[in-house]
Every structure is written in C-alpha cells, then in structure tokens.
Amino acid sequence: MRNTSEYKKSERRFNFVQRVSFVLLALILFVYGLIAVRNFLWPIAFGFLLSYLFFPVGNWLEKHKVPRILANFIAIILGLGVLFSLGLFGYSKITPIAGDLPQLAESGLRNLADSISGISEHFGFDKEETRNLIKEQAGNILSSGGQYLQDIFNATTSTIVSFGLLPVYIFLFLYYRTKFAYFLMMIFGRENRQEVVSVLREVSRVFGRYMAGVLAVVFILCIINSTGLLIVGIRYPIALGIISAVFNFIPYFGTLLGGLVPLLFALVGENNPTMAFHVVILFIIIQFIENNILTPNIVGGNVRVNPFFIITGLVAASLIWGIPGMLLIVPFLAIARIVFTHVESMKPYAFLLGDQGTAKHSISIKNIRKRMRSIFSK
C-alpha cells in the first residue's frame, strides 16, 4: 500500500515537472520566434493598431453608402495625410539643427574636452594631456564613422520598407475586419458569440481612444516643451521641443528620455550648467503635468494596466523588438487584459494585470485630501 502511494506521488511530481517543462519550452520557443521574425511581425502589429485609428472614418463613410474599398482608401489617405503633414512640419523645424550639426559637434567636443580636463586637473592629471587624449579618441570615433553610417543607412532602409507596407496592412485589416470577426466566432463557438462581439467592441473602443489620445498628448507636449525651452533661452527651442515630445510615445519613460536631449545640448552644446539646471526643472514640471493632467484626462483610463506590468513590459519588449516593441507593448497588454476579463478562468490574471485594488494607496488629490483631513481632525 505504501509503495502504491509513493508511486502515485512520484507520478504526480513527474507530471507536474513535465507540464512545467513543456510550458517553459513553449515560452522560450515563442520568444525566440518573436525575435527571429520581428522585422516581419512589427509592421503587421503597427498596421493592426493604426487600422483601429482609421476605422471610425471608414465606418462612417460606409454608413453613408460609400463602398468599403473606396471608404478604406479615403480613410487611409486622410489619416496618413494628417500624419505625414505633422511629420513634415516637425522635420522642417528640426532641419536647422541638422544644418548646423558639424559646428555643433565641433563646439560640443571642445566644451566636453575643456570640462573633463578641468575636472581631471583636480585629481592630479595633466590638463593639456587629458584634452589631447579626448580629442584623439573623438577623432578615432569620427574616422571610423563611415561604418556606423552605413549600418544606420541599412537599418533606415529596412525600416522605410517596413513602413511602406503599413498602408497595405491597414487596408487589409479594415477590408477583412468582418471576416476576421466571423473567424473568431467560428473558433469560440455559437454559444460564445455575444462574448466575442463584446470583446471586439471593447478592443476597438480602447484602441481608438488610446491612439488618438497619445497623438493629442504628443502634439500638446510639442507646444509646452517648445514654449518652456524658449523661456529657458536655449537655442533651437522648437526643434528640441518636438524631438523631446516624440519620446512620449513611450509611456512613463518618454518625458525623461526626451528631456535628456535638451539637457545634453545645454551641457555640451551650450556649455552652460545653469541652463542645464533650468532644463531639468522644466522637464520635472512637464513630467508632472503630463502624468497628472494630460494623460489622465486625454488618454484616460482606457488601457487600465497597472504600472508594474507596463514598466516590465516595456523592458521586455525593448529586448525583443527594440523601439517598435516599446511602442506596441501597452496596447497589446490592454488587449490581454480585456480578453482575460471575459474568460472566467482567466479573470484572476485580468485582476493582476489591471489597475484595480490599489485605489486607496494611489497618490491622488482625493487621497491627499482624506489624509490631510484625518491628520487635522486629530
């Protein structure tokens, strides 16, 4: 009897280890597949997201008796036309920096060499030798820059080809959206038809509002950043304001990463620590405005994914797909949360992934008022 019981325990352990091994193996193969074919997958993922952004226009045209093919073409042309116009406007404002780049690089190198050599003098190093060493190493980097430029050109060419496929993917997702919906209904069965429709509608609503909201936040930050940098007195305030605002397509880290651009320019290009300090203060204020006013009121609680999974997702996505992964991960985490919410066995994972359950611990004006009242009431 004892041998039979031990045998069953061993069998259960073996089955458990086998299941865990299969899950880990499947996860490793899945991640490897994402990395291996990322240049094929990320344009499709972007096309999927942008199709939700263009869907309201195409759907409105269809309701007014415009054929689907023509409606999709009009929606894509209008949408890409607006995005292209915004990109062209931004490029025209950034061009002055590109024209002055050789002079900026030279003055920046000189300022950097002077700053480091001045610091090294306090540690017993010869100031002139340190300056010459920095200039020599910078010269070596510049002389070997041809290969870097070639690599950048190849990467840029591949990216342009991938973006050139975006209109095709957007059109196909818009044109075959009904077919994809029926496909999902056929997979999950007639009894789950209403649940599938509910998921698709919620995903459509969340994606459309999220994409439009992010674009609106970036546009507003272009104005705020440029105005703030103009007040600080830095050169090229509009160009640096636009560049720093574009980083806000990346959640949480966007404002901080974008603020590094004018900060480095103030330190190296302008050689002005006081101006750099003013830039730091400016972007701390902008970070507060973006996190507490713009994003909550414009993007709203559509995504409803808690910050822990957003941050870890951003790090993981950057390792797998690089910058495209960081831009895509938040909407796809939102999809996972929506799907988990509508599947009974996955509702605990939806709760873990979502932002519910921590409202009383969050830093909000409402909670601050409650704590202040409790303090003064004592």
Side-chain angles (χ1 to χ4, degrees), residues 23 26 43 64-65 69 105 115 144 151 169-170 182 207 219 286 304 310 312 331 337 348 356 364:
V23 170
H64 287 78
K65 309 302 180 182
I69 292 178
S115 300
S144 61
D151 294 341
Y169 291 135
I170 294 170
Y182 281 118
F207 268 27
F219 179 74
I286 292 173
R304 296 180 61 190
I310 290 178
T312 53
R337 184 193 62 78
Q356 305 94 337
S364 64

Side-chain angles (χ1 to χ4, degrees), residues 112-283:
L112 182 63
D114 291 339
S115 300
I116 296 178
S117 60
I119 294 172
S120 66
E121 190 177 21
H122 294 286
F123 293 93
F125 295 97
D126 184 80
K127 184 175 181 179
E128 198 61 35
E129 287 184 3
T130 304
R131 182 186 287 110
N132 293 333
L133 178 63
I134 293 171
K135 289 182 177 179
E136 180 183 350
Q137 294 301 320
N140 292 335
I141 293 173
L142 292 174
S143 63
S144 61
Q147 183 61 41
Y148 294 120
L149 289 175
Q150 184 178 355
D151 294 341
I152 292 172
F153 176 78
N154 292 336
T156 304
T157 304
S158 175
T159 303
I160 290 173
V161 171
S162 299
F163 273 109
L165 291 172
L166 276 181
V168 178
Y169 291 135
I170 294 170
F171 175 82
L172 292 176
F173 278 119
L174 289 174
Y175 184 73
Y176 289 110
R177 63 181 184 270
T178 308
K179 192 177 185 69
F180 290 142
Y182 281 118
F183 167 73
L184 292 175
M185 292 176 193
M186 291 170 67
I187 287 179
F188 292 103
R190 181 176 293 273
E191 65 277 8
N192 296 313
R193 177 188 179 95
Q194 194 59 41
E195 202 71 24
V196 173
V197 172
S198 177
V199 170
L200 292 175
R201 286 177 178 171
E202 189 173 352
V203 168
S204 177
R205 177 180 58 81
V206 168
F207 268 27
R209 292 182 181 179
Y210 174 77
M211 296 294 293
V214 169
L215 288 172
V217 168
V218 170
F219 179 74
I220 294 171
L221 285 175
C222 286
I223 299 172
I224 295 175
N225 293 352
S226 301
T227 304
L229 292 173
L230 183 65
I231 295 172
V232 168
I234 198 169
R235 281 187 292 170
Y236 313 110
I238 297 177
L240 292 174
I242 292 173
I243 293 172
S244 56
V246 168
F247 280 92
N248 281 272
F249 282 109
I250 301 173
Y252 285 94
F253 302 115
T255 303
L256 297 177
L257 293 174
L260 289 176
V261 177
L263 175 62
L264 291 174
F265 184 83
L267 285 173
V268 179
E270 301 282 7
N271 196 24
N272 192 332
T274 303
M275 182 179 289
F277 176 74
H278 291 160
V279 170
V280 171
I281 298 300
L282 171 66
F283 275 89

Side-chain angles (χ1 to χ4, degrees), residues 21-78:
S21 300
F22 285 153
V23 170
L24 291 175
L25 179 61
L27 183 62
I28 291 170
L29 290 175
F30 177 71
V31 173
Y32 174 77
L34 289 177
I35 296 173
V37 294
R38 58 184 175 183
N39 290 330
F40 168 71
L41 289 178
W42 74 255
I44 298 177
F46 267 114
F48 178 70
L49 292 183
L50 291 175
S51 66
Y52 277 99
L53 186 63
F54 300 154
F55 168 72
V57 178
N59 190 47
W60 182 85
L61 291 171
E62 280 191 53
K63 288 181 179 179
H64 287 78
K65 309 302 180 182
V66 179
R68 175 168 290 191
I69 292 178
L70 182 58
N72 292 342
F73 270 122
I74 294 173
I76 292 171
I77 290 171
L78 288 176

Side-chain angles (χ1 to χ4, degrees), residues 290-326:
E290 188 267 329
N291 281 344
N292 296 279
I293 299 175
L294 294 180
T295 297
N297 289 284
I298 297 176
V299 179
N302 291 313
V303 175
R304 296 180 61 190
V305 177
N306 74 63
F308 173 79
F309 285 101
I310 290 178
I311 293 172
T312 53
L314 285 169
V315 174
S318 67
L319 295 175
I320 296 173
W321 278 7
I323 293 177
M326 297 180 74

